[in-house]
Amino acid sequence: AQKVTQAQTEISVVEKEDVTLDCVYETRDTTYYLFWYKQPPSGELVFLIRRNSFDEQNEISGRYSWNFQKSTSSFNFTITASQVVDSAVYFCALSEPTGANSKLTFGKGITLSVRP
Amino acid sequence: DSGVTQTPKHLITATGQRVTLRCSPRSGDLSVYWYQQSLDQGLQFLIQYYNGEERAKGNILERFSAQQFPDLHSELNLSSLELGDSALYFCASSVVPDLGGDNEQFFGPGTRLTVL
């Protein structure tokens, strides 16, 4: 069975601080996909990144970066120079696609508050 | 805007009632997923349809049912509603992945159901 653990529940930082959101996953499959979604106060789920299990390269997109380490089953997300607009709930998710069946298993989410 | 539409945005009803939530996937997407987000359970996968057929089931109660129509829109029916069914219900859609291929799910804005 697949499982995603986001041990941090709430994080509060001051604007311009760097912050790392942790994600640890469990799966028995060798092929899987990892995702991060952002849920701002308005409630919608915004896709941030997808990473497949064969690509361990770290990724950077502006102030966002992701560190994927299969050895520790972790897919951590770092926001550099945080801004108030980054305040949201962040979800890590895992899918094990089998044909057309590829449901997402989500972690509990991390509430990030960025104070001015 | 993800291209996935959900109606209604908000729904308030009483215990014991039945409601129908509607989802229109992105143009060209054949798979539709339903998720429930509640305070105690977090984000949970309910059910997936692919091109009109049920493909996968998650933690969906027997009081809940869904279907996908020939035009690919989907409806989630919730009956004999209880207070605990109050939640945000998301629909997501994706293209059909090849076996072992990618899967990016695009989420609608959600329907917030309040059961009084």
Side-chain angles (χ1 to χ4, degrees):
Chain A
Q2 48 188 344
K3 184 179 176 183
V4 175
T5 301
Q6 296 181 264
Q8 305 151 310
T9 53
E10 293 184 20
I11 300 175
S12 181
V13 299
V14 177
E15 213 171 12
K16 296 184 185 172
E17 281 186 28
D18 299 347
V19 58
T20 295
L21 311 181
D22 297 334
C23 173
V24 173
Y25 62 92
E26 294 176 31
T27 176
R28 285 179 284 192
D29 281 354
T30 55
T31 301
Y32 52 90
Y33 295 86
L34 295 162
F35 302 78
W36 276 93
Y37 283 86
K38 173 182 179 180
Q39 187 175 39
S42 51
E44 74 273 22
L45 281 168
V46 178
F47 166 81
L48 295 178
I49 190 171
R50 171 188 65 244
R51 173 67 71 210
N52 76 57
S53 53
F54 299 107
D55 181 3
E56 284 193 76
Q57 265 195 322
N58 291 333
E59 180 152 342
I60 298 175
S61 175
R63 296 184 296 108
Y64 295 170
S65 62
W66 290 269
N67 184 306
F68 176 30
Q69 291 196 342
K70 285 176 78 169
S71 60
T72 55
S73 298
S74 65
F75 186 43
N76 296 337
F77 173 29
T78 297
I79 302 175
T80 303
S82 59
Q83 299 177 1
V84 173
V85 293
D86 296 326
S87 296
V89 182
Y90 290 86
F91 292 94
C92 180
L94 166 71
S95 79
E96 297 169 337
T98 306
N101 170 15
S102 44
K103 68 180 179 74
L104 289 171
T105 297
F106 286 88
K108 293 287 189 186
I110 302 170
T111 300
L112 173 66
S113 299
V114 181
R115 310 187 305 277
Chain B
D1 186 345
S2 67
V4 179
T5 60
Q6 288 187 250
T7 56
K9 196 171 176 61
H10 300 278
L11 198 48
I12 301 174
T13 188
T15 54
Q17 295 298 304
R18 172 189 170 94
V19 297
T20 297
L21 313 184
R22 182 188 168 102
C23 167
S24 292
R26 293 187 321 153
S27 176
D29 284 357
L30 297 179
S31 265
V32 168
Y33 306 77
W34 286 97
Y35 293 85
Q36 179 195 58
Q37 185 178 25
S38 61
L39 281 174
D40 51 344
Q41 298 292 328
L43 256 169
Q44 284 197 108
F45 167 72
L46 295 178
I47 197 164
Q48 178 204 359
Y49 277 82
Y50 161 57
N51 203 20
E53 292 187 6
E54 181 184 302
R55 185 55 63 108
K57 255 184 174 177
N59 298 324
I60 187 166
L61 300 170
E62 284 191 13
R63 300 183 285 109
F64 296 1
S65 65
Q67 54 184 326
Q68 186 179 27
F69 295 86
D71 67 351
L72 300 178
H73 91 271
S74 177
E75 292 180 358
L76 179 66
N77 301 296
L78 315 176
S79 61
S80 302
L81 285 168
E82 302 175 0
L83 295 178
D85 298 327
S86 295
L88 189 51
Y89 291 85
F90 286 104
C91 166
S93 74
S94 71
V95 298
V96 177
D98 295 329
L99 189 62
D102 208 342
N103 171 57
E104 179 175 339
Q105 294 183 22
F106 296 86
F107 282 79
T111 292
R112 185 168 294 281
L113 173 66
T114 302
V115 182
L116 301 175

